[in-house]
Amino acid sequence: MGIYDGMKDAAKVLKEANKIEEYKEILEAQEKMMEMQRTIRQLEDEVTELKKAKVTADQLEYRDKSYWLEEDGPFCSRCFDAEGKLIRLRQQNIQKSDYDCDHCDTKGIRIFPELYDPKKSSMF
């Protein structure tokens, strides 16, 4: 039997014994315990996200004012540096070498991926 089940059983006994004050205290303790469990879950999720971000940060390469994950990218350097979010930049239709971030509204980041990948360049 877990702590929660034990508290539930104690609350039932107190209610049946008409011990209203003690019953209320058990209910409050149960509520606090559930809140602590939610907090623990949130903290565990946050730790998991931070671990993922660290692995990603170690793998990122900064070039052309943006981040790249091997040949995947470009990702917004402002979003990653400020928020730890890996947000893909969107290529403008007008100027093919200019990219925008739809998340933070950074505009006109000039990127030339073909300089780093001979397969994408007509110069090679």
Side-chain angles (χ1 to χ4, degrees):
M1 178 187 319
I3 295 172
Y4 183 77
D5 291 332
M7 292 177 79
K8 198 164 113 177
D9 290 344
K12 182 179 175 184
V13 169
L14 290 169
K15 185 177 180 183
E16 289 172 356
N18 206 23
K19 302 278 188 177
I20 301 305
E21 288 304 312
E22 293 85 352
Y23 172 72
K24 286 180 183 179
E25 287 177 21
I26 292 285
L27 290 180
E28 286 175 18
Q30 281 179 312
E31 190 175 313
K32 286 179 184 176
M33 187 178 70
M34 290 175 67
E35 180 60 35
M36 285 189 283
Q37 287 175 330
R38 282 190 292 272
T39 300
I40 289 168
R41 169 58 41 208
Q42 288 171 345
L43 290 172
E44 287 173 341
D45 291 346
E46 188 175 324
V47 166
T48 300
E49 289 301 314
L50 288 170
K51 284 181 180 178
K52 284 181 189 176
K54 173 149 180 28
V55 169
T56 302
D58 291 343
Q59 296 170 344
L60 287 177
E61 179 185 345
Y62 183 78
R63 63 180 190 243
D64 281 342
K65 300 179 186 170
S66 62
Y67 284 115
W68 293 76
L69 189 57
E70 294 182 14
E71 292 307 315
D72 190 16
F75 298 100
C76 181
S77 59
R78 187 256 167 234
C79 288
F80 188 79
D81 291 344
E83 303 174 35
K85 293 182 179 179
L86 207 53
I87 306 294
R88 187 175 304 280
L89 294 173
R90 181 182 46 80
Q91 192 174 28
Q92 291 181 357
N93 289 333
I94 302 164
Q95 192 74 4
K96 294 293 185 185
S97 59
D98 287 353
Y99 289 74
D100 298 335
C101 179
D102 294 329
H103 181 74
C104 72
D105 291 327
T106 297
K107 304 275 187 228
I109 301 168
R110 184 133 309 159
I111 298 173
F112 300 99
E114 63 275 1
L115 295 177
Y116 302 98
D117 186 357
K119 292 179 272 187
K120 294 181 182 175
S121 177
S122 59
M123 298 186 305
F124 295 97

